[in-house]
Amino acid sequence: MCLGVPGRVVEIFEQDGIRMGKVDFGGIVKEACLAYVPETEVNDYVIIHAGFAISRLNEEEAQETLAILREMGEDVPMGEFTSR
Amino acid sequence: MKYVAEFRQPELIHKLAGEIRRTVTKPWTIMEICGGQTHAFMRFGLESLLPPEIELVHGPGCPVCVTPLELIDKAIAIASRPEVIFCSFGDMLRVPGSHADLFRVKAAGGDVRVVYSPLECLKIARQHPNREVVFFAIGFETTAPGNAMLVWQARQQGIRNFSMLVSHVRVPPAITAILSSPGNRVQGFLAAGHVCTVMGYWEYEPLAERFRVPIVVTGFEPVDLLQGLLRTVRQLEAGRHEVENAYERSVTREGNRPAQELIARVFEPCDRTWRGIGLIPDSGWRLRPEFAAFDAENRFPVGDIQTQESSVCISGLVLQGRKKPHECPAFGTSCTPAHPLGATMVSSEGACAAYYRYRRSL
């Protein structure tokens, strides 16, 4: 129900006065409502949930998160495997 | 897929798991409020990477699971009417009501349709001017923007043969209810990333302060989940209780303002009964009085409904994080996804269904 999937906006158009877009999810293109992300442009990434873009994905933040994690210390071996 | 694959890299997953193991010194009980996150933890086998000190309990964040039985029965009664085209998100169709489910209504000839976007209902209503189109508007704050837009547009476009059966729920009052209950064991929360995408996380700051619990806004990929967990554990170990955002690429403190504005124009807070839990004050949204004409409960007299829950099912305790699914006598025997006794076994986000799918060896 709260599954949101990131996709790339490939086209923006209007339908019945509502801002809509075509969004590419790694090859599958679906229509979604863009009314809640008014600043979005073609080629931006958005998070789509039940046919609506709920946010414009902040690509800088995403890269920064990954950069911080890559610099983190190495993995430590797990003690004995615990099954819970 | 971009912005998915990067957050599933094994190297980063193991780094984070290692950091969690290094950080933990004592046992902690942490709740992921969102059923989507429960499912992701299981699906990616992340629990096996965690130290035994960390116990994850699963929250009530599955709208399919907590939709009250009375409302399912109302949906079934409305969907059975010959003039109605009943539209719903797909995962509601198998939820057992007292005596049937929406699939059974469809099998008996009822016009029950699955929609991906709520806006599809407008097209269906225009195509069938002589029928009554009813949408089952359920969900947390994540589905509210779409459902609000649907009813707003129905009014704008003058579509009269449309109404909504509304059962919206909100996360913060549920967290309050869990933390206020005498048997509470939860010491920290992972907050649901897509609920916070819409609502922001300013609402959670007073909760963290009042109950002295860390709340970390968390995304849905393995790296997101472990990062949320690591930040929660760091706070617990340091005795801090703050709201942190571990899903920066989608969530801001203020959330999605245009979405919040339309939600507030269409819905107003109300008390709501949660299946398996009971009444939680101010935990729901209902249509504002100016949208009463679009309220299916006003349009269709389905008053006197006698509900009847399964006597064996412990889904209420599971939804509150007090029991684990496999502690139910019916789990995996008389209750399976093919023959569910309770909603937590039906929904793909329900804790019981997740345990059945991924942890049957327990």
Side-chain angles (χ1 to χ4, degrees), chain B residues 97-132:
Chain B
S98 293
H99 308 290
D101 58 30
L102 287 164
F103 262 128
R104 204 179 297 183
V105 174
K106 193 174 167 69
D111 196 341
V112 177
R113 304 185 188 187
V114 171
V115 294
Y116 163 68
S117 165
L119 293 180
E120 291 171 48
C121 298
L122 297 175
K123 202 163 106 192
I124 295 169
R126 278 197 299 264
Q127 284 168 340
H128 301 276
N130 303 323
R131 303 280 300 280
E132 282 288 336

Side-chain angles (χ1 to χ4, degrees), chain B residues 9-78:
Chain B
Q9 295 174 73
E11 171 209 0
L12 297 183
I13 292 172
H14 286 290
K15 267 188 181 187
L16 280 161
E19 194 62 31
I20 291 170
R21 290 198 292 272
R22 262 198 292 266
T23 309
V24 167
T25 65
K26 42 182 166 305
W28 299 111
T29 302
I30 298 167
M31 176 180 273
E32 83 281 357
I33 198 91
C34 170
Q37 292 179 343
T38 303
H39 210 74
F41 268 118
M42 307 258 160
R43 178 180 161 204
F44 294 105
L46 300 178
E47 281 190 312
S48 64
L49 301 175
L50 299 176
E53 289 88 350
I54 292 185
E55 185 191 1
L56 286 176
V57 292
H58 318 304
C62 158
V64 176
C65 305
V66 301
T67 300
L69 183 60
E70 190 194 2
L71 226 75
I72 309 276
D73 286 348
K74 274 183 186 171
I76 289 165
I78 293 170

Side-chain angles (χ1 to χ4, degrees), chain B residues 327-355:
Chain B
E327 293 171 339
C328 176
F331 177 78
T333 52
S334 61
C335 179
T336 64
H339 296 280
L341 292 180
T344 42
M345 188 59 100
V346 173
S347 165
S348 58
E349 292 173 6
C352 296
Y355 271 59

